[in-house]
PDB file of all heavy atoms in Angstrom:
ATOM      1  N   THR A 300      -2.405 -37.909 165.971  1.00 97.00           N
ATOM      2  CA  THR A 300      -3.850 -38.109 166.068  1.00 97.00           C
ATOM      3  C   THR A 300      -4.141 -38.915 167.323  1.00 97.00           C
ATOM      4  O   THR A 300      -4.381 -40.124 167.285  1.00 97.00           O
ATOM      5  CB  THR A 300      -4.366 -38.837 164.809  1.00 97.00           C
ATOM      6  OG1 THR A 300      -3.794 -38.218 163.656  1.00 97.00           O
ATOM      7  CG2 THR A 300      -5.870 -38.741 164.713  1.00 97.00           C
ATOM      8  N   VAL A 301      -4.175 -38.207 168.448  1.00 97.00           N
ATOM      9  CA  VAL A 301      -4.144 -38.843 169.756  1.00 97.00           C
ATOM     10  C   VAL A 301      -5.524 -39.225 170.274  1.00 97.00           C
ATOM     11  O   VAL A 301      -5.643 -40.045 171.180  1.00 97.00           O
ATOM     12  CB  VAL A 301      -3.432 -37.910 170.770  1.00 97.00           C
ATOM     13  CG1 VAL A 301      -4.277 -36.673 171.051  1.00 97.00           C
ATOM     14  CG2 VAL A 301      -3.113 -38.630 172.062  1.00 97.00           C
ATOM     15  N   GLY A 302      -6.594 -38.660 169.689  1.00 95.00           N
ATOM     16  CA  GLY A 302      -7.922 -38.800 170.278  1.00 95.00           C
ATOM     17  C   GLY A 302      -8.362 -40.224 170.540  1.00 95.00           C
ATOM     18  O   GLY A 302      -8.950 -40.512 171.581  1.00 95.00           O
ATOM     19  N   ASN A 303      -8.125 -41.132 169.589  1.00 94.00           N
ATOM     20  CA  ASN A 303      -8.543 -42.512 169.794  1.00 94.00           C
ATOM     21  C   ASN A 303      -7.368 -43.469 169.930  1.00 94.00           C
ATOM     22  O   ASN A 303      -7.546 -44.685 169.887  1.00 94.00           O
ATOM     23  CB  ASN A 303      -9.434 -42.979 168.635  1.00 94.00           C
ATOM     24  CG  ASN A 303      -8.670 -43.098 167.322  1.00 94.00           C
ATOM     25  OD1 ASN A 303      -8.071 -42.131 166.864  1.00 94.00           O
ATOM     26  ND2 ASN A 303      -8.690 -44.258 166.704  1.00 94.00           N
ATOM     27  N   ALA A 304      -6.167 -42.924 170.107  1.00 97.00           N
ATOM     28  CA  ALA A 304      -4.959 -43.759 170.116  1.00 97.00           C
ATOM     29  C   ALA A 304      -4.328 -43.819 171.498  1.00 97.00           C
ATOM     30  O   ALA A 304      -4.203 -42.799 172.182  1.00 97.00           O
ATOM     31  CB  ALA A 304      -3.935 -43.229 169.113  1.00 97.00           C
ATOM     32  N   THR A 305      -3.927 -45.008 171.896  1.00 96.00           N
ATOM     33  CA  THR A 305      -3.197 -45.207 173.144  1.00 96.00           C
ATOM     34  C   THR A 305      -1.972 -46.069 172.867  1.00 96.00           C
ATOM     35  O   THR A 305      -2.043 -47.030 172.098  1.00 96.00           O
ATOM     36  CB  THR A 305      -4.090 -45.885 174.201  1.00 96.00           C
ATOM     37  OG1 THR A 305      -5.122 -44.976 174.582  1.00 96.00           O
ATOM     38  CG2 THR A 305      -3.294 -46.260 175.445  1.00 96.00           C
ATOM     39  N   VAL A 306      -0.860 -45.728 173.498  1.00 97.00           N
ATOM     40  CA  VAL A 306       0.368 -46.504 173.333  1.00 97.00           C
ATOM     41  C   VAL A 306       0.253 -47.803 174.133  1.00 97.00           C
ATOM     42  O   VAL A 306      -0.207 -47.805 175.284  1.00 97.00           O
ATOM     43  CB  VAL A 306       1.590 -45.698 173.806  1.00 97.00           C
ATOM     44  CG1 VAL A 306       2.861 -46.519 173.656  1.00 97.00           C
ATOM     45  CG2 VAL A 306       1.701 -44.399 173.017  1.00 97.00           C
ATOM     46  N   VAL A 307       0.656 -48.899 173.528  1.00 97.00           N
ATOM     47  CA  VAL A 307       0.617 -50.205 174.186  1.00 97.00           C
ATOM     48  C   VAL A 307       1.451 -50.166 175.464  1.00 97.00           C
ATOM     49  O   VAL A 307       2.546 -49.592 175.494  1.00 97.00           O
ATOM     50  CB  VAL A 307       1.162 -51.296 173.235  1.00 97.00           C
ATOM     51  CG1 VAL A 307       1.318 -52.623 173.961  1.00 97.00           C
ATOM     52  CG2 VAL A 307       0.241 -51.442 172.028  1.00 97.00           C
ATOM     53  N   ALA A 308       0.934 -50.771 176.534  1.00 95.00           N
ATOM     54  CA  ALA A 308       1.676 -50.857 177.790  1.00 95.00           C
ATOM     55  C   ALA A 308       2.526 -52.125 177.770  1.00 95.00           C
ATOM     56  O   ALA A 308       1.993 -53.235 177.871  1.00 95.00           O
ATOM     57  CB  ALA A 308       0.719 -50.886 178.965  1.00 95.00           C
ATOM     58  N   PRO A 309       3.839 -52.004 177.630  1.00 96.00           N
ATOM     59  CA  PRO A 309       4.695 -53.185 177.475  1.00 96.00           C
ATOM     60  C   PRO A 309       5.147 -53.743 178.822  1.00 96.00           C
ATOM     61  O   PRO A 309       5.178 -53.028 179.830  1.00 96.00           O
ATOM     62  CB  PRO A 309       5.890 -52.632 176.707  1.00 96.00           C
ATOM     63  CG  PRO A 309       6.000 -51.225 177.219  1.00 96.00           C
ATOM     64  CD  PRO A 309       4.595 -50.757 177.506  1.00 96.00           C
ATOM     65  N   PRO A 310       5.558 -55.007 178.864  1.00 95.00           N
ATOM     66  CA  PRO A 310       6.116 -55.558 180.097  1.00 95.00           C
ATOM     67  C   PRO A 310       7.484 -54.954 180.431  1.00 95.00           C
ATOM     68  O   PRO A 310       7.855 -54.850 181.595  1.00 95.00           O
ATOM     69  CB  PRO A 310       6.225 -57.065 179.805  1.00 95.00           C
ATOM     70  CG  PRO A 310       6.238 -57.171 178.310  1.00 95.00           C
ATOM     71  CD  PRO A 310       5.396 -56.028 177.811  1.00 95.00           C
ATOM     72  N   ASP A 311       8.224 -54.567 179.384  1.00 97.00           N
ATOM     73  CA  ASP A 311       9.532 -53.939 179.582  1.00 97.00           C
ATOM     74  C   ASP A 311       9.591 -52.677 178.728  1.00 97.00           C
ATOM     75  O   ASP A 311       9.679 -52.741 177.506  1.00 97.00           O
ATOM     76  CB  ASP A 311      10.653 -54.904 179.186  1.00 97.00           C
ATOM     77  CG  ASP A 311      12.040 -54.374 179.557  1.00 97.00           C
ATOM     78  OD1 ASP A 311      12.370 -53.242 179.158  1.00 97.00           O
ATOM     79  OD2 ASP A 311      12.781 -55.106 180.243  1.00 97.00           O
ATOM     80  N   LYS A 312       9.555 -51.528 179.356  1.00 97.00           N
ATOM     81  CA  LYS A 312       9.499 -50.244 178.642  1.00 97.00           C
ATOM     82  C   LYS A 312      10.744 -50.013 177.791  1.00 97.00           C
ATOM     83  O   LYS A 312      10.657 -49.513 176.668  1.00 97.00           O
ATOM     84  CB  LYS A 312       9.315 -49.097 179.632  1.00 97.00           C
ATOM     85  CG  LYS A 312       8.020 -49.141 180.433  1.00 97.00           C
ATOM     86  CD  LYS A 312       7.943 -47.939 181.370  1.00 97.00           C
ATOM     87  CE  LYS A 312       6.651 -47.949 182.182  1.00 97.00           C
ATOM     88  NZ  LYS A 312       6.603 -49.093 183.120  1.00 97.00           N
ATOM     89  N   ASN A 313      11.910 -50.356 178.314  1.00 97.00           N
ATOM     90  CA  ASN A 313      13.152 -50.081 177.591  1.00 97.00           C
ATOM     91  C   ASN A 313      13.273 -50.925 176.329  1.00 97.00           C
ATOM     92  O   ASN A 313      13.701 -50.435 175.278  1.00 97.00           O
ATOM     93  CB  ASN A 313      14.359 -50.313 178.509  1.00 97.00           C
ATOM     94  CG  ASN A 313      14.469 -49.255 179.590  1.00 97.00           C
ATOM     95  OD1 ASN A 313      14.398 -48.061 179.320  1.00 97.00           O
ATOM     96  ND2 ASN A 313      14.631 -49.692 180.826  1.00 97.00           N
ATOM     97  N   ILE A 314      12.911 -52.204 176.408  1.00 97.00           N
ATOM     98  CA  ILE A 314      12.956 -53.055 175.221  1.00 97.00           C
ATOM     99  C   ILE A 314      11.952 -52.557 174.184  1.00 97.00           C
ATOM    100  O   ILE A 314      12.252 -52.482 172.983  1.00 97.00           O
ATOM    101  CB  ILE A 314      12.656 -54.518 175.599  1.00 97.00           C
ATOM    102  CG1 ILE A 314      13.798 -55.082 176.453  1.00 97.00           C
ATOM    103  CG2 ILE A 314      12.452 -55.373 174.354  1.00 97.00           C
ATOM    104  CD1 ILE A 314      13.552 -56.491 176.959  1.00 97.00           C
ATOM    105  N   PHE A 315      10.767 -52.199 174.642  1.00 97.00           N
ATOM    106  CA  PHE A 315       9.716 -51.689 173.766  1.00 97.00           C
ATOM    107  C   PHE A 315      10.198 -50.455 173.005  1.00 97.00           C
ATOM    108  O   PHE A 315      10.078 -50.360 171.780  1.00 97.00           O
ATOM    109  CB  PHE A 315       8.484 -51.360 174.616  1.00 97.00           C
ATOM    110  CG  PHE A 315       7.298 -50.812 173.870  1.00 97.00           C
ATOM    111  CD1 PHE A 315       6.322 -51.660 173.378  1.00 97.00           C
ATOM    112  CD2 PHE A 315       7.138 -49.440 173.695  1.00 97.00           C
ATOM    113  CE1 PHE A 315       5.210 -51.164 172.721  1.00 97.00           C
ATOM    114  CE2 PHE A 315       6.040 -48.933 173.036  1.00 97.00           C
ATOM    115  CZ  PHE A 315       5.073 -49.797 172.544  1.00 97.00           C
ATOM    116  N   ILE A 316      10.764 -49.507 173.726  1.00 97.00           N
ATOM    117  CA  ILE A 316      11.208 -48.256 173.109  1.00 97.00           C
ATOM    118  C   ILE A 316      12.425 -48.475 172.228  1.00 97.00           C
ATOM    119  O   ILE A 316      12.549 -47.867 171.150  1.00 97.00           O
ATOM    120  CB  ILE A 316      11.509 -47.199 174.195  1.00 97.00           C
ATOM    121  CG1 ILE A 316      10.208 -46.739 174.829  1.00 97.00           C
ATOM    122  CG2 ILE A 316      12.243 -46.006 173.605  1.00 97.00           C
ATOM    123  CD1 ILE A 316       9.237 -46.058 173.875  1.00 97.00           C
ATOM    124  N   ASN A 317      13.329 -49.324 172.637  1.00 97.00           N
ATOM    125  CA  ASN A 317      14.506 -49.610 171.810  1.00 97.00           C
ATOM    126  C   ASN A 317      14.086 -50.179 170.462  1.00 97.00           C
ATOM    127  O   ASN A 317      14.605 -49.776 169.410  1.00 97.00           O
ATOM    128  CB  ASN A 317      15.426 -50.585 172.533  1.00 97.00           C
ATOM    129  CG  ASN A 317      16.706 -50.849 171.765  1.00 97.00           C
ATOM    130  OD1 ASN A 317      17.510 -49.946 171.534  1.00 97.00           O
ATOM    131  ND2 ASN A 317      16.907 -52.097 171.353  1.00 97.00           N
ATOM    132  N   ASN A 318      13.124 -51.078 170.471  1.00 97.00           N
ATOM    133  CA  ASN A 318      12.623 -51.643 169.214  1.00 97.00           C
ATOM    134  C   ASN A 318      11.923 -50.575 168.382  1.00 97.00           C
ATOM    135  O   ASN A 318      12.077 -50.514 167.158  1.00 97.00           O
ATOM    136  CB  ASN A 318      11.677 -52.807 169.494  1.00 97.00           C
ATOM    137  CG  ASN A 318      12.388 -54.012 170.082  1.00 97.00           C
ATOM    138  OD1 ASN A 318      13.596 -54.170 169.900  1.00 97.00           O
ATOM    139  ND2 ASN A 318      11.656 -54.858 170.781  1.00 97.00           N
ATOM    140  N   PHE A 319      11.133 -49.740 169.052  1.00 97.00           N
ATOM    141  CA  PHE A 319      10.412 -48.673 168.359  1.00 97.00           C
ATOM    142  C   PHE A 319      11.376 -47.731 167.654  1.00 97.00           C
ATOM    143  O   PHE A 319      11.235 -47.431 166.462  1.00 97.00           O
ATOM    144  CB  PHE A 319       9.545 -47.902 169.358  1.00 97.00           C
ATOM    145  CG  PHE A 319       8.774 -46.760 168.756  1.00 97.00           C
ATOM    146  CD1 PHE A 319       7.482 -46.941 168.289  1.00 97.00           C
ATOM    147  CD2 PHE A 319       9.332 -45.484 168.653  1.00 97.00           C
ATOM    148  CE1 PHE A 319       6.767 -45.899 167.732  1.00 97.00           C
ATOM    149  CE2 PHE A 319       8.628 -44.433 168.093  1.00 97.00           C
ATOM    150  CZ  PHE A 319       7.335 -44.641 167.638  1.00 97.00           C
ATOM    151  N   THR A 320      12.393 -47.253 168.357  1.00 98.00           N
ATOM    152  CA  THR A 320      13.314 -46.283 167.750  1.00 98.00           C
ATOM    153  C   THR A 320      14.200 -46.923 166.694  1.00 98.00           C
ATOM    154  O   THR A 320      14.635 -46.251 165.752  1.00 98.00           O
ATOM    155  CB  THR A 320      14.175 -45.595 168.830  1.00 98.00           C
ATOM    156  OG1 THR A 320      14.809 -46.585 169.643  1.00 98.00           O
ATOM    157  CG2 THR A 320      13.310 -44.707 169.721  1.00 98.00           C
ATOM    158  N   ASN A 321      14.463 -48.216 166.815  1.00 97.00           N
ATOM    159  CA  ASN A 321      15.199 -48.900 165.744  1.00 97.00           C
ATOM    160  C   ASN A 321      14.403 -48.886 164.446  1.00 97.00           C
ATOM    161  O   ASN A 321      14.968 -48.685 163.358  1.00 97.00           O
ATOM    162  CB  ASN A 321      15.515 -50.344 166.148  1.00 97.00           C
ATOM    163  CG  ASN A 321      16.674 -50.442 167.124  1.00 97.00           C
ATOM    164  OD1 ASN A 321      17.468 -49.515 167.253  1.00 97.00           O
ATOM    165  ND2 ASN A 321      16.773 -51.561 167.824  1.00 97.00           N
ATOM    166  N   VAL A 322      13.091 -49.103 164.557  1.00 97.00           N
ATOM    167  CA  VAL A 322      12.228 -49.045 163.368  1.00 97.00           C
ATOM    168  C   VAL A 322      12.221 -47.632 162.806  1.00 97.00           C
ATOM    169  O   VAL A 322      12.311 -47.418 161.593  1.00 97.00           O
ATOM    170  CB  VAL A 322      10.804 -49.506 163.715  1.00 97.00           C
ATOM    171  CG1 VAL A 322       9.876 -49.311 162.509  1.00 97.00           C
ATOM    172  CG2 VAL A 322      10.790 -50.962 164.143  1.00 97.00           C
ATOM    173  N   VAL A 323      12.111 -46.641 163.691  1.00 97.00           N
ATOM    174  CA  VAL A 323      12.099 -45.238 163.270  1.00 97.00           C
ATOM    175  C   VAL A 323      13.363 -44.898 162.493  1.00 97.00           C
ATOM    176  O   VAL A 323      13.321 -44.336 161.389  1.00 97.00           O
ATOM    177  CB  VAL A 323      11.957 -44.311 164.495  1.00 97.00           C
ATOM    178  CG1 VAL A 323      12.288 -42.866 164.126  1.00 97.00           C
ATOM    179  CG2 VAL A 323      10.545 -44.385 165.062  1.00 97.00           C
TER     180      VAL A 323
END
Side-chain angles (χ1 to χ4, degrees):
T300 314
V301 69
N303 68 303
T305 292
V306 179
V307 172
D311 188 306
K312 298 181 180 66
N313 289 311
I314 292 176
F315 180 91
I316 289 298
N317 184 63
N318 292 337
F319 179 92
T320 53
N321 283 341
V322 174
V323 166

